[in-house]
Amino acid sequence: MIFDPKTFKQHFPLFEQPENRRLVYLDNAATTQKPRPVIDAIRDFYLCSNANTHRSSHRLARRATEMVERVRSQSAAFLHAASAREIVFCRGATEALNLLANSLCSELRAGDEIVISSVEHHANIVPWQMMAQRFQLKLRYVPHTAGIPQFDRLGEVLGERTRIVSLSGGSNALGLRPDLEAIARQLRGRNLHWIVDGAQLAAHERVDVQKVGCDFFVCSAHKFYGPSGIGLLYGRESLLEAMPPWQGGGEMIAEVDLYNSRFAGLPHKFEAGTSSLAAIAGLGAALDFLAVQDRAAMAAHEQQLLQWLHRELAAMPGLQLISQPQHNLGIVAFAPATGSAADLMHWLDERDIAVRVGHHCAQPLIRAAGVAATVRASLAAYNTWENVQLFVEALREYLVETATETENLAAAP
Ligand code: PMP
């Protein structure tokens, strides 16, 4: 089937608003736009069925409970988990990683080791640093060159004391998509827990957690056309069962006494308090929406745009390209050879082209690349050929203009 980005784009009403008609939105790694069914589901929840969940309560509360559990089953199918009991709703990938860090590390012994990589988002660095300090654990990094992890050398940092390996399934700063099968092979048979940060991956590929073979997988709905404020933590049932809860409160208990409590079963023991119910309704609509799309064709289209962008940008003398076109989920990252990345971003913004500038919550990586900040253009399936052509033309124009300015300055008496 031929994928038509223009038809696909019609599902996204933001682009139809008069002020956004010319918008070239290339900030999809930060968040994607929402299709109409997702917006409608959130509105409908508040309009028709708003109530807090509780199985044994009134009609609306029962309906809300059924909706949450239905979306949990959909989410299990989305990630190909063995059971809905393996799906915990969180605020997003960040909260899921904090849950894992807090729960898993509280069971470790001083001197145990956690392995992460230099390409991780801060959400997959900072929680481990905090736990390492609290429980005297050791943080180790996959060997890297100029910040790019060499995952084939993962074995060099695995030891007797390695208990957790938490690695990106796709980098938000570079797009780099590690070979998860090769990582699985290196981890096989070891007494440790493998976490995949799939915040970027889930937006571009069909995920099969059983095939990947990881113990835990985290992602955020807002990166795959769903609402913000809701994300998924997948965990193997036996592991979740054995883990202590992270947060305490309502919904996660079976019985509360003055000094002790018994916790609810899976997955509820990890879901203290009222969840983002409207966001869960929106997530359900996003999963329905994705289920009827040709995801392979969407990814193939994104890859065509990506390869073309890399070729065009590589040929521009005034740019330092940081990302690589191979094993890339859909990101071009670069820095202007002269001038600041922020100036370039503002210049593009004035022309209705939305890209992101900065360290992209990956400061260690950006520092290792030897630049202060990068400009990042990140793709989604609704990006058209016209979008990327306008972006490239605008970049060319900017480089000519800044080169002329530099020449004029040099020639000035
Ligand atoms: N990991 C990666 C790779 C990400 O790209 C992001 C979001 N930029 C996160 C984790 C954190 O996701 P969230 O902010 O939705 O919790």
Side-chain angles (χ1 to χ4, degrees), residues 287-334:
L287 296 177
D288 279 340
F289 173 78
L290 281 177
V292 295
Q293 307 301 325
D294 184 341
R295 295 202 64 196
M298 285 163 67
H301 166 66
E302 291 168 356
Q303 282 300 317
Q304 280 182 342
L305 299 186
L306 179 76
Q307 299 307 323
W308 183 80
L309 274 177
H310 267 97
R311 273 199 304 279
E312 291 293 312
L313 268 61
M316 287 187 193
L319 292 184
Q320 181 189 352
L321 202 48
I322 312 282
S323 53
Q324 301 280 334
Q326 310 84 8
H327 312 295
N328 182 328
L329 287 174
I331 288 176
V332 269
F334 57 93

Side-chain angles (χ1 to χ4, degrees), residues 29-31 91-97 119-124 168-173 197-201 218-223 228-231 331 360-361 376:
T31 200
R91 271 198 303 130
T94 302
E95 193 178 60
L97 287 164
V119 84
E120 301 308 320
H121 187 278
H122 293 167
N124 197 24
S168 166
S171 148
N172 66 304
D197 172 0
Q200 295 295 331
L201 186 68
V218 306
C219 58
S220 296
H222 70 95
K223 310 264 189 200
S228 50
I230 188 71
I331 288 176
H360 315 291
C361 292
R376 178 186 76 183

